[in-house]
Amino acid sequence: MVNMSQNSSAASGTPSAPAMVNWELAAKTAANLAPAGPDLSGSEISAAVENLRLMAEKSVPHVHEISRLEAAKDLHDSEVLIVDRASWAKANTQSFAVMMDPVLRALAAKQADSAKSSGPAQGSPGAAFSATVTGAQLGGALAFLSSKVLGQYDPFSALGQNDPNAAHSNSAHSNAAKSGGRLLLVAPNIITVERDLKVDPADFRLWVCLHEQTHRVQFAAAPWLRHHMIGEIEKLGTLLVGDSEKFGERLLESAKSLGRKHDSTANSTPESSRGGVLDLLQDPAQKAALSHLTAVMSLLEGHANVVMDGVDKSIVPTVRTIRQRFTNRGKDRGVIEKFIRNLMGLDAKMRQYSDGAKFVRDTVAVVGMDGFNQVWNQVENLPTEAEIHNARLWVDRMGL
């Protein structure tokens, strides 16, 4: 498995970036707090890594056949890394550093321009303490998530500094791959789940890879998408920075209300809340920016699920068993875990999968997969959140 370097400049931010989050501490905290993975010998680990690489490669032709995206024919612009939990957390601090840099710069400028700013001056001991606290908190969150994620395509790592120490890969295309991002397969989590579900390991790993490789293909088919998403994240972040005095108060109140909702609203519906900090947005511009990002994420996740579900037993012999057992997984979560998932908005993300998948299926049913694939041609073709819930609106707007 890959061991992400602790010396990567992407993790600590570029030298000129505002030191408002200690990214390196976040990665180290996550590594220290991440639960231990399954007990495996050295030979078992090597065999699992090689098998995951094989399944990742084997899944690509199936993604091409189902999605009909020509980008699936050549994915050498990105790399596949088989990682442990600590390395997954490290990789995410690197991506967060890239994504949050414009927002942190805007917040630093706001603090510098405001004599009445409640935050400590940039570069002061108070600022360093704040960065440490934030890094530790982020590390704790990543430690929790590190045991939940099976795989993740990271399109944003390519936008950071091209540091040769940022990651190590056995791929023959490692040097060129950085331009397109990286696919992370979290080996201990995949092995844990396949054991818990008592499913065929090879089938399960191929099934997981179909979903994650689809994300890789999406960004290869729409190379403009990563820059667009970074721009939208910056837009939303800048709007939140502009309302930073109230944001902290709303965050605290949200945490309290989520605790009350967990105990008292057994009959609440998913539609009543986006979940977590997403409920804090009140300004129309904030809501519009979030609505767009929600639509894009719903599209990406839903499309990947449709591709993953497009396989039959000729590709994954035990796919029916895997689907049934994986769907039922999570019904026995403990109270604390359920609360954390709600607070962090993880269940809202799961709803994105079903919303986006319905949009893709409904669209394909009307205009076919080739018609649907026009969504990847340009930013104007991305669906709105309203269109995600009513595919006919998108079809009509596209003139299909």
Side-chain angles (χ1 to χ4, degrees), residues 66 197 199 203-204 207 210 305-313 315-329 361:
I66 297 169
L197 298 182
V199 294
D203 282 3
F204 182 72
W207 191 68
L210 285 164
N305 264 14
V306 168
V307 172
M308 183 173 65
D309 289 342
V311 303
D312 56 27
K313 63 181 182 180
I315 300 173
V316 180
T318 60
V319 65
R320 181 174 298 180
T321 299
I322 291 173
R323 285 176 183 149
Q324 181 180 9
R325 294 180 184 177
F326 192 81
T327 300
N328 291 334
R329 176 175 172 260
R361 292 190 181 99

Side-chain angles (χ1 to χ4, degrees), residues 208-345:
V208 170
C209 287
L210 285 164
H211 180 98
E212 302 307 334
Q213 288 283 31
T214 300
H215 286 313
R216 194 176 173 208
V217 171
Q218 290 165 348
F219 283 90
W224 47 267
L225 184 56
R226 77 191 73 232
H227 296 281
H228 173 69
M229 291 185 68
I230 284 288
E232 292 301 303
I233 291 170
E234 179 180 358
K235 180 191 300 182
L236 178 58
T238 302
L239 289 168
L240 294 178
V241 166
D243 196 21
S244 59
E245 292 84 357
K246 296 180 181 179
F247 187 71
E249 298 175 5
R250 296 207 304 271
L251 179 60
L252 179 60
E253 178 56 31
S254 176
K256 293 178 180 178
S257 65
L258 282 170
R260 290 194 295 269
K261 277 193 267 186
H262 181 269
D263 293 329
S264 62
T265 57
N267 295 323
S268 63
T269 61
E271 290 77 9
S272 65
S273 169
R274 290 180 185 273
V277 297
L278 305 182
D279 282 328
L280 304 179
L281 305 178
Q282 297 178 358
D283 181 83
Q286 293 174 350
K287 290 182 178 180
L290 178 64
S291 177
H292 179 71
L293 279 174
T294 298
V296 174
M297 292 303 299
S298 297
L299 169 70
L300 298 178
E301 297 295 348
H303 177 244
N305 264 14
V306 168
V307 172
M308 183 173 65
D309 289 342
V311 303
D312 56 27
K313 63 181 182 180
S314 68
I315 300 173
V316 180
T318 60
V319 65
R320 181 174 298 180
T321 299
I322 291 173
R323 285 176 183 149
Q324 181 180 9
R325 294 180 184 177
F326 192 81
T327 300
N328 291 334
R329 176 175 172 260
K331 290 184 178 179
D332 296 326
R333 295 191 187 107
V335 172
I336 293 177
E337 182 176 346
K338 287 180 180 177
F339 174 77
I340 293 175
R341 292 180 68 87
N342 191 24
L343 180 64
M344 299 179 71

Side-chain angles (χ1 to χ4, degrees), residues 39-69:
D39 188 14
L40 298 170
S41 66
S43 59
E44 288 175 322
I45 292 174
S46 297
V49 169
E50 289 306 310
N51 185 250
L52 281 168
R53 287 193 183 283
L54 174 63
M55 293 304 163
E57 182 177 353
K58 185 178 178 180
S59 65
V60 175
H62 299 306
V63 173
H64 177 235
E65 181 180 359
I66 297 169
S67 72
R68 299 178 61 85
L69 288 172

Side-chain angles (χ1 to χ4, degrees), residues 355 358-359 362 384-391 393:
D355 293 344
K358 186 177 186 303
F359 167 79
D362 289 350
T384 66
E385 191 172 11
E387 290 168 344
I388 285 289
H389 295 287
N390 185 349
L393 295 176

Side-chain angles (χ1 to χ4, degrees), residues 172-195:
H173 304 282
S174 179
N175 292 333
K178 293 181 183 296
S179 66
R182 56 194 175 192
L183 173 61
L184 308 173
L185 296 173
V186 191
N189 297 347
I190 293 174
I191 293 171
T192 295
V193 172
E194 69 191 26
R195 288 179 173 181

Side-chain angles (χ1 to χ4, degrees), residues 47-115:
V49 169
E50 289 306 310
N51 185 250
L52 281 168
R53 287 193 183 283
L54 174 63
M55 293 304 163
E57 182 177 353
K58 185 178 178 180
S59 65
V60 175
H62 299 306
V63 173
H64 177 235
E65 181 180 359
I66 297 169
S67 72
R68 299 178 61 85
L69 288 172
E70 291 303 301
K73 285 187 175 180
D74 187 358
L75 294 177
H76 293 162
D77 67 329
S78 56
E79 59 187 337
V80 177
L81 301 176
I82 315 301
V83 300
D84 57 20
R85 291 168 176 174
S87 295
W88 175 86
K90 179 70 175 179
N92 274 271
T93 62
Q94 294 169 356
S95 291
F96 289 164
V98 173
M99 288 189 292
M100 295 302 296
D101 183 74
V103 179
L104 295 181
R105 289 182 184 278
L107 182 56
K110 185 173 186 289
Q111 291 178 347
D113 292 341
S114 176

